[in-house]
Amino acid sequence: MQCSCIYFVEFTLFYKINVLKVLIIHMDNSEEKTKIELCDHCGENLIQTYYADYDGVQKRFCCHGCQSVYEILNVSGLTEFYELKRGVGFTERPRYSEQKFLHLDDIEFIDKYLEPTKRNINGKDYFYFKFFVEGIHCVACLWILEKLDVFFSENEILFSKLNMSSSILEISFSKEMKLSKIAKRISSLGYFPHAILSDLDAQKLLKKEDQKMLIKIGLAFAFAGNIMLYSLAVYAGADGIFKEYFNLFSFLCTLPVLGFCAIPFYQSAWGSLKTKVLSIDVPIVLALIIGMGMGIYGLIFKIDIFYFDTLSTLVFLLLLSRYILKKAQQKALGVEDLSLLFSNQYSQRKIDGRVEEVLTKFLKVGDEVLVEANETVSIDGVIVAGKTHINNSLLTGEVRPDYREVGDAVYMGAKNLDCPITVRVTETVDNTRLGKMLQEIEHGWHEKSQISLITDKIAKRFVWVIFILSTFFLIYFTYTSTIYVAFERTLSLLIITCPCALALTTPLALILGLSAMARNGVIIKNENTIEKLIKSKKIFLDKTGTLTKGDFSVVKKNCYGEAQNWMSHIYSMELCSKHPIASSIVSYIKCFHPSIKKIEFDRVYEVAGKGVEGFIGGDFFEIKKIDEQIDLLNQLNSKVGFFRNGQLAVSFELSDILREGISSTISEFEKYGPTPYILTGDNQDRALEVAKSLKIPRERVLAEKSPEQKRDIILKNAKSIMVGDGINDAIAMRASFVGIAVQGSVDLSLRAADVYLSKSGVSHILSLIRGSRFIFRIIHRNLLYSFLYNCLGVYLAFLGYVSPLVAAVLMPLSSITILISTVISTNKLNKIIKI
Amino acid sequence: MEVLFLILPMALVISLGFVLCFIYAVKNGQYDDLETPAFRILLDDDNHTTQVRNNNDSED
């Protein structure tokens, strides 16, 4: 009976295991099935598949970019990249860039920005250069970028070294090598290199400062540690000659700590006394001086008062906490520094019928520049050849294209829409309208950040309170007790009330908040911004590009006449045009017919300012606006028709549509503040229509405003947020309490704005404001804690329960507890920011 | 206990030596980038592994 029972159990077990096996196999299969749909380079789902054979193995790619990257790696035998990448789990398609980087080979550029290395190796001279590389994710990126030399012949590249935290690639290459080739190779690997055109000396200086601080901390630590050992001996009961000996050594070790390591405190205290603004460094320096004076006094007169251990520990801990803070700050502000380094704009200069790429900075008045269709004009100038439509939206905020021909002026920032033009430079980059705007913005930037923080104010008052209390201590105990007791208790008071928790955790909370936001695509330039965001009463939103997507999208399609599918005809015709409407129709068709193929026409050509025409067999097709009389892009909704032999076959209705998630954002603003306004350069009707769909009342719509008018409105409304895109909002953004840029390039936007949303979508503003409120709750809590702690400390010091040494240990302990609580609570921030 | 008079200065000299080492390391740039070297150590120095893997693939 028992036996059969066991058999039964075994059987069921066996059965279950088999079922499990089958299940696992099945799961494996299903996994493989899904794998088939993934790109072999980036791992994204395949919508359109490009197939290619490598060593007899078929590989699938989602785009040409991925395919070419794979090809390069495969040819060079670097496919280990994919082994390293596996498990990291990022998906990003490489930017497929056609850029040739030829401007990096310009003689003027080489002279100015390439640094020749001092050493001469293998009989060759080398250059040193730095790139900021976009798209660094993981160890695989590190691996491939440091193997750059494999792609070139031997000794061409001396080394390539990547700093992953700052995404900076240092590279040393031989003088015969062209920098453009290296840049092109990096970009063909799927990363995008930005040449760093900055002062090399300034960078070195910054590095040196960092190193100096680190050395100070190291020294302070070494000496404080030794002093601790000597003091321990004294506390343990060393007597007579030994005690004096130990104390002498403590004193000797304290000298470099106070004389060298503590220099930053003296400097800042002196600076604050000079400007008559009390900083928290003043009581610290006071404590150092009192402690040192008493120590020396005790040493000379052989009295039992020594505070060398206290002082050196204090200096070490303060230095350390400040270094950590500085590091965190540098990480948060790195984005800003980098954005200022990007000035990689280049232009095509025409010389003797040849075209060469040069850095736009190097263009001079009178040079002729070729501007291709779909490129942006990089200088102010006059057209000398060609006619075209340009889009001035960056400057004026209008999407409507303007027609320009020979003799007309064009300005920097305008986008050339359809035909190549040649422009003679009339103003160099810094003197262009846009350049001047940018300068104005940068100039005014400095004044703006001079708003004093709430914590600064509190710290100042706090320092006064400490001073008054310590004088009271000194006088009170001199009368009631001995002068030694008076000094000792005052010293304890100064040390224990040192407002480090205040000075340390507030910036820490702000910085942790900033980096949490940055991880979610919200880049904040300055930590003061968070405080200002909470205080804001009104929020002004630009319309084009901020509330709406800023370009035309197809909203409706109508078919007429015989039910034939003309989509591939329309698709192939519109592919020839670079007009914004054509490209939006192309993307619309591609969205609904992903497998659409281009068909061959006998003849297709674009008629500038009209549309596209083409022939197949005897049929004549054209795509143009339906009502000839109406200026197409001036309308709220534009209608475009596809005609076959003059007969309307398909019509498209296009409109500038609202961004996703915008209406819920606006309704939350209405509920919890700040009050939303629309401020736009566009015409009244369009602005009102958008306002209506967002349920913003009529009186809060301000339309047809020039950039300068926008600024004036912002200035009239104190404590207002300006949300905008492009340069036309830049002046207003700078004038505002808080400027938020939602689109456009990071570098331009961050010069004017305080906040840059790298992910499109205004809904991030909401998470920004929510996050700011949360950060401030943390800061307020910290302030409360440190206030309570200090009250207790003062009380205990008054009663004489804490000696200076205990105070010197308790002070950092309290700071650390508040620090930890800050770090833990900012971790919650991630949940709040994500929507 | 008189030996302390000798030991203490010696200990101080030794610790000074370590401080000098630290200063050298800082000036040498060893503290400039604390993140990347940690990853770099995971990577192999040569292409050996790649070749091995390629061979395995072709055998399959």
Side-chain angles (χ1 to χ4, degrees), chain A residues 76-80 83-84 138-140 142-143 146-147 150 161-165 207 210-212 214-219 222-223 226 230 241-242 245-246 249 252-253 323 327 331, chain B residues 1-9 11-12 15-16 19 22-23 25-37 39-50 53-54 57:
Chain A
S76 313
L78 295 173
T79 37
E80 192 189 337
E83 299 291 322
L84 291 168
C138 62
V139 67
L142 172 75
W143 186 79
E146 298 206 334
K147 284 228 183 312
V150 176
K161 220 171 138 198
L162 180 75
N163 183 334
M164 280 178 79
S165 48
K207 213 182 200 176
D210 243 32
Q211 293 183 346
K212 266 187 191 164
L214 210 56
I215 287 175
K216 281 190 183 119
I217 294 172
L219 269 179
F223 287 117
N226 275 308
Y230 308 144
I241 183 88
F242 286 114
Y245 187 61
F246 282 128
F249 262 85
L252 287 179
C253 286
Y323 182 74
K327 278 278 138 190
K331 234 179 183 174
Chain B
M1 286 297 271
E2 278 67 25
V3 74
L4 275 174
F5 294 114
L6 182 68
I7 286 177
L8 232 56
L12 205 59
S15 69
L16 265 177
V19 167
F22 173 72
I23 291 174
V26 170
K27 293 214 163 151
N28 201 21
Q30 293 181 21
Y31 288 84
D32 291 348
D33 180 7
L34 296 174
E35 197 175 320
T36 321
F39 288 107
R40 206 173 278 142
I41 200 170
L42 297 172
L43 303 173
D44 294 314
D45 285 338
D46 50 14
N47 292 341
H48 183 69
T49 47
T50 323
R53 279 200 190 105
N54 281 348
D57 285 350

Side-chain angles (χ1 to χ4, degrees), chain A residues 396-515:
Chain A
T396 59
E398 283 191 351
V399 204
R400 187 185 61 205
D402 284 332
Y403 178 71
R404 293 289 150 95
E405 58 181 17
V406 176
D408 286 343
V410 284
Y411 296 108
M412 176 183 177
K415 196 170 181 190
N416 182 7
L417 292 177
D418 31 49
C419 306
I421 49 170
T422 309
V423 180
R424 188 189 301 123
V425 180
T426 53
E427 295 289 353
T428 50
V429 182
D430 289 340
N431 292 325
T432 56
R433 250 175 90 182
L434 193 66
K436 276 182 189 155
M437 268 191 206
L438 285 177
Q439 274 167 17
E440 191 193 334
I441 288 157
E442 272 168 36
H443 181 69
W445 176 245
H446 196 67
E447 306 152 25
K448 199 185 169 184
S449 55
Q450 300 263 332
I451 293 173
S452 63
L453 276 165
I454 157 187
T455 44
D456 284 348
K457 283 184 205 156
I458 293 179
K460 247 182 267 164
R461 279 183 207 152
F462 196 81
V463 172
W464 273 116
V465 172
I466 293 174
F467 274 133
I468 293 164
L469 270 177
S470 49
T471 359
F472 166 73
F473 265 49
L474 206 57
I475 295 165
Y476 178 80
F477 286 111
T478 323
Y479 278 107
T480 56
S481 179
T482 59
I483 188 144
Y484 303 127
V485 175
F487 269 107
E488 188 174 297
R489 295 204 179 165
T490 313
L491 193 62
S492 305
L493 175 83
L494 279 175
I495 293 173
I496 206 162
T497 54
C498 168
C500 285
L502 197 79
L504 201 78
T505 54
T506 305
L508 187 79
L510 288 172
I511 282 158
L512 287 176
L514 292 196
S515 45

Side-chain angles (χ1 to χ4, degrees), chain A residues 322-346:
Chain A
R322 278 181 202 192
Y323 182 74
I324 293 170
L325 190 70
K326 195 181 161 200
K327 278 278 138 190
Q329 244 160 352
Q330 273 176 355
K331 234 179 183 174
L333 293 178
V335 191
E336 179 207 351
D337 298 333
L338 284 169
S339 71
L340 295 175
L341 305 180
F342 305 161
S343 35
N344 277 317
Q345 263 202 327
Y346 65 94

Side-chain angles (χ1 to χ4, degrees), chain A residues 552 630-639 654-655 686:
Chain A
F552 282 82
I630 295 171
D631 190 1
L632 198 61
L633 291 149
N634 228 349
Q635 286 301 102
L636 277 177
N637 293 313
S638 311
K639 269 190 171 179
L654 295 113
S655 168
R686 275 197 258 184

